[in-house]
C-alpha cells in the first residue's frame, strides 16, 4: 500500500546534498578561501574571494572568476548568502559578481530569501554594481515572461571610502560587524580593506593594496589576516623594465608584508591573490620564505582554494 506524503519543493531542495545549507554546522567563526588566483588563469585557483561564516551569517568578500561554484563547493546555498562586500573595481575581483546575483535570483524559484545586499565603496565600485546586470536585460525579460514574476534585485549599500577605520555593516543582533578603511592600490581608486568582528575574534581581508599603514592598523591583534601577496622583492630584477614591474608596484610585496604582520601582532597570516601564481610546492614555499625574511614569526599559510580556517572553536 502506498502512503501519500506531502513534500514541499523547499524540502526536496534542502534534501539535495549539493545544495544543503551547512551554516548550522559552523558555529564558530570560519574563513574559507573561495579563490586565490589572479587575472592569468591557473589550474585550481579561482578568482579572488574570501568567505567568512559566523553561525548562520555568511559574508562573501569579492567575487572573482568561479565564485558561484566555489561557494557551492564550500556548502553555501547562494540564496542564503547574508551579504557581499566589494573591495575595488578590478575585473578579476568582480567578474563573477553578476553571476552571484543572477544565481540567487534564479534560486528564488525554490528558496525565497529576498535580494542580495551588496556593501560597496562609493565611486567606481558602486557604479559597477548598479550597472552589472544591464547586459542580461534580454535574458531577464525572457525569464520574467515565463518563470520569474519579478526582476533580479540587489540592495546596494554604498559608503564613502573612509580615511580612518569605520563600521559599514552590522548584523541585526549586533553580534557581527564589518569595518572598512581606504587602502593604497593607486592608480585604482576607491579601494578598501575590510575587518570582520565577531565574539570569536577578528578577520581582516586586505583586498588589493600596497603594504600600508591603514591595513596595519586594521590588522592590529587580528586572529586571521587574509592578505594579497606579490613576490616583488624576489623578482625585482626579473621584471625590471617590463609591464610586470608596474603591476607589482601597486600590490603587496611579500617581504614588506611579513614586517606588517609582525608589527600588528597578527595571529595567523594567510596569503592569497598570489603573484605569480605558484604551481609547485617549492613555488609556495618561496612565498613563505619571503614573509619570514620580512620578520613574521607567527602561523603562516600560503593559500589554496577552499582552505578553511577556524577562528575559535565552539564552546
Amino acid at each position: 500500500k502506498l502512503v501519500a506524503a506531502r513534500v514541499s519543493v523547499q524540502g526536496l531542495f534542502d534534501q539535495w546534498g549539493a545544495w544543503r545549507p551547512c551554516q548550522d554546522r559552523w558555529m564558530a567563526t570560519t574563513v574559507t578561501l573561495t579563490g586565490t588566483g589572479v587575472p592569468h588563469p591557473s589550474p585550481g585557483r579561482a578568482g579572488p574571494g574570501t568567505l567568512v561564516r559566523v553561525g548562520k551569517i555568511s559574508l562573501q568578500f569579492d567575487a572573482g572568476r568561479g565564485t558561484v561554484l566555489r561557494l557551492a563547493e564550500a556548502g553555501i546555498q547562494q540564496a542564503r548568502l547574508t551579504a557581499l562586500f566589494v573591495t575595488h573595481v578590478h575585473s578579476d575581483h568582480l567578474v563573477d559578481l553578476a553571476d552571484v546575483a543572477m544565481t540567487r535570483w534564479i534560486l528564488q524559484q525554490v528558496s525565497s530569501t529576498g535580494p542580495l545586499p551588496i556593501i560597496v565603496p562609493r565611486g567606481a565600485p558602486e557604479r559597477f554594481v548598479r550597472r552589472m546586470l544591464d547586459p542580461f536585460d534580454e535574458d531577464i525579460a525572457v525569464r520574467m515572461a515565463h518563470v520569474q514574476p519579478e526582476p533580479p534585485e540587489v540592495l546596494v549599500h554604498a559608503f564613502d571610502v573612509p580615511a580612518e577605520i569605520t563600521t559599514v555593516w552590522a548584523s541585526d543582533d549586533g553580534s557581527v560587524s564589518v569595518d572598512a578603511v581606504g587602502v593604497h592600490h593607486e592608480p585604482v581608486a576607491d579601494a578598501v580593506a575590510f575587518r570582520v568582528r565577531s565574539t570569536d575574534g577578528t578577520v581582516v581581508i586586505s583586498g588589493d593594496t600596497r603594504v600600508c599603514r591603514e591595513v596595519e592598523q586594521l590588522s592590529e591583534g587580528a586572529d586571521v589576516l587574509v592578505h594579497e601577496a606579490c613576490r616583488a622583492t624576489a623578482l625585482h630584477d626579473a621584471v625590471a623594465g617590463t609591464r610586470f614591474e608596474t603591476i607589482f608596484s601597486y600590490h603587496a610585496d611579500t617581504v614588506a608584508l611579513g614586517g606588517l604582520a609582525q608589527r600588528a601582532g597578527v595571529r595567523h597570516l594567510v596569503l592569497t591573490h598570489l603573484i605569480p601564481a605558484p604551481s609547485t610546492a617549492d613555488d609556495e614555499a618561496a612565498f613563505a620564505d619571503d614573509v619570514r625574511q620580512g620578520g613574521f614569526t607567527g602561523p603562516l599559510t600560503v593559500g589554496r582554494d577552499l582552505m578553511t580556517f577556524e577562528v575559535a572553536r565552539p564552546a
Side-chain angles (χ1 to χ4, degrees), residues 233-264:
T233 294
L235 298 176
H236 176 269
D237 292 342
V239 302
T242 71
R243 295 177 183 178
F244 291 104
E245 182 177 26
T246 300
I247 294 170
F248 285 15
S249 72
Y250 51 86
H251 287 282
D253 173 55
T254 41
V255 176
L257 177 57
L260 177 151
Q262 185 69 18
R263 292 190 300 271

Side-chain angles (χ1 to χ4, degrees), residues 38 75 84 87 105 120 126 150 178 219 230 235 246 263 272 305 307:
V38 292
L84 193 148
T87 63
W105 175 58
V120 59
E126 181 186 4
E150 302 292 338
V178 178
S219 303
C230 175
L235 298 176
T246 300
R263 292 190 300 271
T272 190
D305 286 21
M307 280 183 168

Side-chain angles (χ1 to χ4, degrees), residues 121-122 159-168 179-184 186 190-193 212-218:
R122 286 197 175 90
F159 61 90
D160 293 328
V161 175
E164 302 296 333
I165 298 169
T166 302
T167 299
V168 296
D179 304 323
V181 70
V183 297
H184 294 283
E186 295 88 356
D190 311 316
V192 299
C212 64
R213 172 188 63 84
E214 289 82 356
V215 173
E216 184 169 336
Q217 291 179 341
L218 194 68

Side-chain angles (χ1 to χ4, degrees), residues 6-300:
R6 288 179 176 269
V7 181
S8 69
V9 173
Q10 181 62 53
L12 286 172
F13 188 77
D14 284 345
Q15 291 174 38
W16 186 8
W19 291 97
R20 188 175 182 85
C22 71
Q23 288 95 322
D24 291 344
R25 299 199 298 270
W26 296 83
M27 298 311 294
T29 299
T30 61
V31 183
T32 299
L33 304 179
T34 58
T36 58
V38 292
H40 294 230
S42 179
R45 295 188 183 275
T50 303
L51 171 70
V52 179
R53 289 181 276 197
V54 187
K56 294 183 178 181
I57 296 173
S58 299
L59 308 176
Q60 177 67 23
F61 295 83
D62 285 344
R65 177 190 299 124
T67 295
V68 166
L69 296 179
R70 285 289 186 256
L71 285 172
E73 290 165 342
I76 292 296
Q77 187 186 129
Q78 305 287 322
R80 300 190 184 279
L81 198 63
T82 306
L84 193 148
F85 298 76
V86 173
T87 63
H88 69 290
V89 172
H90 249 160
S91 61
D92 57 317
H93 289 254
L94 294 176
V95 72
D96 226 28
L97 186 55
D99 192 13
V100 173
M102 287 288 287
T103 300
R104 183 186 181 95
W105 175 58
I106 291 170
L107 292 180
Q108 299 294 312
Q109 298 166 8
V110 290
S111 183
S112 180
T113 56
L116 174 67
I118 299 181
I119 293 81
V120 59
R122 286 197 175 90
E126 181 186 4
R127 290 192 294 272
F128 179 93
V129 170
R130 294 194 183 280
R131 297 181 303 196
M132 68 181 181
L133 296 180
D134 290 352
F136 298 94
D137 56 355
E138 294 187 9
D139 175 31
I140 291 169
V142 170
R143 293 180 187 275
M144 289 180 63
H146 296 278
V147 181
Q148 307 284 91
E150 302 292 338
E153 183 183 3
V154 295
L155 297 178
V156 180
H157 300 280
F159 61 90
D160 293 328
V161 175
E164 302 296 333
I165 298 169
T166 302
T167 299
V168 296
W169 181 90
S171 60
D172 291 340
D173 63 3
S175 64
V176 181
S177 62
V178 178
D179 304 323
V181 70
V183 297
H184 294 283
H185 193 38
E186 295 88 356
V188 179
D190 311 316
V192 299
F194 290 106
R195 178 177 65 191
V196 182
R197 292 182 291 162
S198 74
T199 55
D200 298 316
T202 60
V203 179
V204 175
I205 298 98
S206 72
D208 280 2
T209 178
R210 300 171 177 86
V211 171
C212 64
R213 172 188 63 84
E214 289 82 356
V215 173
E216 184 169 336
Q217 291 179 341
L218 194 68
S219 303
E220 288 182 1
D223 294 279
V224 178
L225 168 58
V226 180
H227 205 296
E228 71 138 318
C230 175
R231 299 198 64 219
T233 294
L235 298 176
H236 176 269
D237 292 342
V239 302
T242 71
R243 295 177 183 178
F244 291 104
E245 182 177 26
T246 300
I247 294 170
F248 285 15
S249 72
Y250 51 86
H251 287 282
D253 173 55
T254 41
V255 176
L257 177 57
L260 177 151
Q262 185 69 18
R263 292 190 300 271
V266 171
R267 293 181 174 87
H268 184 184
L269 175 60
V270 179
L271 307 184
T272 190
H273 197 270
L274 305 168
I275 307 173
S279 57
T280 68
D282 287 344
D283 291 343
E284 292 181 348
F287 278 85
D289 291 344
D290 290 350
V291 172
R292 297 302 187 198
Q293 180 184 339
F296 184 63
T297 59
L300 169 65

